[in-house]
């Protein structure tokens, strides 16, 4: 059994808990779980993929089976222990004066040892079926979120609304139109790999946001805006954004005597105004 407090239930947190479990006990023959979306693909009309979740891929690489409960009785057996622990843990944490996730995770091993000593039962078959980890079981690389992406001719690839630009190394130049792995590690690391080799890259975030306070205080932005303003001042008057010649014509509410479709163009209206001005100036 492995307990871990997390902010939300996600695959990366399952990777962390599984890593601790495997390093402590070794590899089991199979995991027994419910039908949560982390363990199996529940959508019948799933588009793409090989109908294997990230967690399922990890277990397959480690040669561990996963058994999802198919009956109400089996699912009840899984959930019953969870209900007992969730009810008991609330009281135990209150008695221990723990109110943070970090402190709770540091205290959990003590609770697990006490719980197993009080409620554990001797199995009918005492044979240990756990398998020891080998050098080939690189948990740091296996227990990671991996997605495939295609490299464009510009040595770029798209991931999570970002453009990742590979450095133009000899290896990267040979990967045009080939597939690479984008890897997110549970410890926060991020990598692009091809057949296990990490590729240097740069990131261009297409949805970067800047706080309004940072815009006011950013000196480079002020200089850039001043340069743009100076360049715009050199435009011809009719090309300037706020010049009257670029304003939209008035609508029918603003000029009730001139219907929109029959209204003369600005050039004709200006010529007519000049003619009226000249006529008024003549004696």
């Amino acid at each position: 059994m492995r307990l871990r407090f997390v902010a939300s239930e996600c695959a990366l947190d399952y990777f962390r808990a599984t890593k601790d479990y495997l390093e402590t006990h070794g590899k089991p023959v199979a995991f027994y779980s419910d039908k949560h979306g982390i363990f199996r693909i529940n959508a019948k009309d799933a588009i793409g993929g090989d109908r294997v979740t990230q967690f399922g891929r990890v277990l397959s690489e480690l040669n561990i089976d996963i058994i999802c409960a198919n009956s109400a009785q089996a699912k009840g057996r899984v959930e019953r222990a969870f209900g007992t622990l969730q009810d008991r843990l609330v009281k135990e944490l209150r008695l221990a004066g723990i109110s943070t996730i970090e402190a709770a995770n540091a205290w959990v091993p003590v609770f697990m040892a006490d719980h197993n000593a009080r409620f554990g039962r001797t199995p009918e078959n005492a044979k240990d079926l756990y398998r020891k980890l080998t050098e080939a079981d690189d948990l740091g690389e296996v227990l990671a979120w991996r997605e495939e992406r295609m490299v464009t001719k510009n040595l770029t690839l798209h991931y999570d609304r970002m453009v990742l630009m590979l450095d133009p190394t000899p290896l990267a130049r040979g990967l045009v139109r080939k597939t690479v792995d984008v890897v997110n590690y549970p410890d926060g690391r991020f990598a692009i790999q091809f057949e296990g080799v990490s590729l240097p890259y740069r990131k261009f975030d297409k949805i970067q946001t800047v706080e309004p306070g940072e815009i006011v205080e950013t000196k480079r932005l002020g200089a850039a805006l001043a340069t743009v303003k100076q360049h715009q001042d050199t435009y011809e008057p009719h090309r300037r954004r706020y010049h009257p010649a670029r304003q939209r014509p008035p609508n029918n509410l603003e000029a009730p005597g001139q219907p929109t479709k029959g209204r003369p163009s600005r050039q004709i209206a200006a010529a007519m105004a000049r003619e009226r001005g000249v006529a008024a100036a003549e004696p």
Side-chain angles (χ1 to χ4, degrees):
M1 181 176 66
R2 177 63 56 180
L3 299 180
R4 183 183 181 90
F5 291 93
V6 296
S8 62
E9 189 175 9
C10 66
L12 293 180
D13 284 315
Y14 271 102
F15 290 164
R16 298 184 185 99
T18 302
K19 184 174 185 293
D20 294 340
Y21 182 87
L22 297 178
E23 290 176 345
T24 303
H25 302 284
K27 296 190 300 182
V29 176
F31 278 120
Y32 189 57
S33 71
D34 57 12
K35 294 183 179 180
H36 194 282
I38 290 178
F39 307 126
R40 52 167 278 170
I41 300 295
N42 293 317
K44 296 181 180 180
D45 55 349
I47 301 176
D50 50 5
R51 299 196 63 82
V52 177
T53 65
Q54 291 285 334
F55 192 80
R57 173 192 57 79
V58 167
L59 295 186
S60 178
E61 293 183 9
L62 295 174
N63 194 21
I64 301 174
D65 292 331
I66 184 167
I67 303 172
C68 297
N70 290 317
S71 64
Q73 293 81 2
K75 182 174 176 57
R77 182 181 179 185
V78 174
E79 297 293 343
R80 194 175 300 113
F82 293 162
T84 301
L85 292 173
Q86 290 171 358
D87 178 71
R88 189 178 297 273
L89 280 171
V90 173
K91 301 176 178 62
E92 294 285 352
L93 290 171
R94 186 184 299 116
L95 292 173
I98 296 175
S99 58
T100 63
I101 292 180
E102 293 76 13
N105 285 326
W107 167 85
V108 149
V110 178
F111 171 81
M112 290 174 54
D114 179 68
H115 183 274
N116 292 337
R118 295 170 60 187
F119 302 103
R121 295 293 181 268
T122 302
E124 294 182 1
N125 187 349
K127 184 178 181 180
D128 186 0
L129 297 180
Y130 283 97
R131 296 161 292 172
K132 294 183 179 179
L133 295 173
T134 64
E135 295 182 357
D137 298 322
D138 189 353
L139 299 182
E141 288 295 329
V142 174
L143 292 164
W145 185 283
R146 294 178 176 270
E147 295 188 24
E148 294 184 346
R149 290 294 186 272
M150 183 76 69
V151 180
T152 68
K153 63 180 180 180
N154 297 323
L155 300 183
T156 62
L157 54 106
H158 297 264
Y159 179 77
D160 195 19
R161 292 180 290 181
M162 294 183 298
V163 176
L164 304 177
M165 300 172 285
L166 299 179
D167 290 351
T169 61
L171 175 59
R173 291 193 183 98
L175 298 180
V176 176
R177 301 302 179 187
K178 293 185 179 180
T179 301
V180 296
D181 290 330
V182 180
V183 189
N184 281 280
Y185 294 95
D187 58 6
R189 291 179 294 131
F190 184 91
I192 301 175
Q193 296 179 347
F194 177 74
E195 296 182 351
V197 179
S198 295
L199 304 172
Y201 69 93
R202 292 174 292 128
K203 180 181 70 172
F204 175 74
D205 194 342
K206 294 189 293 185
I207 57 170
Q208 281 184 343
T209 58
V210 182
E211 295 296 331
E214 296 177 356
I215 293 177
V216 174
E217 298 174 358
T218 302
K219 296 180 180 179
R220 293 180 59 189
L221 181 60
L225 292 177
T227 302
V228 172
K229 179 65 168 58
Q230 183 179 4
H231 184 66
Q232 289 177 343
D233 290 341
T234 62
Y235 290 172
E236 296 294 331
H238 66 277
R239 295 181 56 196
R240 297 176 186 174
R241 174 173 297 180
Y242 300 106
H243 191 271
R246 295 193 63 183
Q247 301 300 310
R248 64 173 179 83
N251 56 39
N252 289 336
L253 294 178
E254 296 170 338
Q258 296 182 349
T260 302
K261 293 184 178 180
R263 184 184 306 131
S265 65
R266 286 192 292 268
Q267 291 81 3
I268 296 176
M272 293 173 60
R274 286 195 297 272
E275 291 177 358
R276 286 196 298 266
V278 172
E282 292 178 354

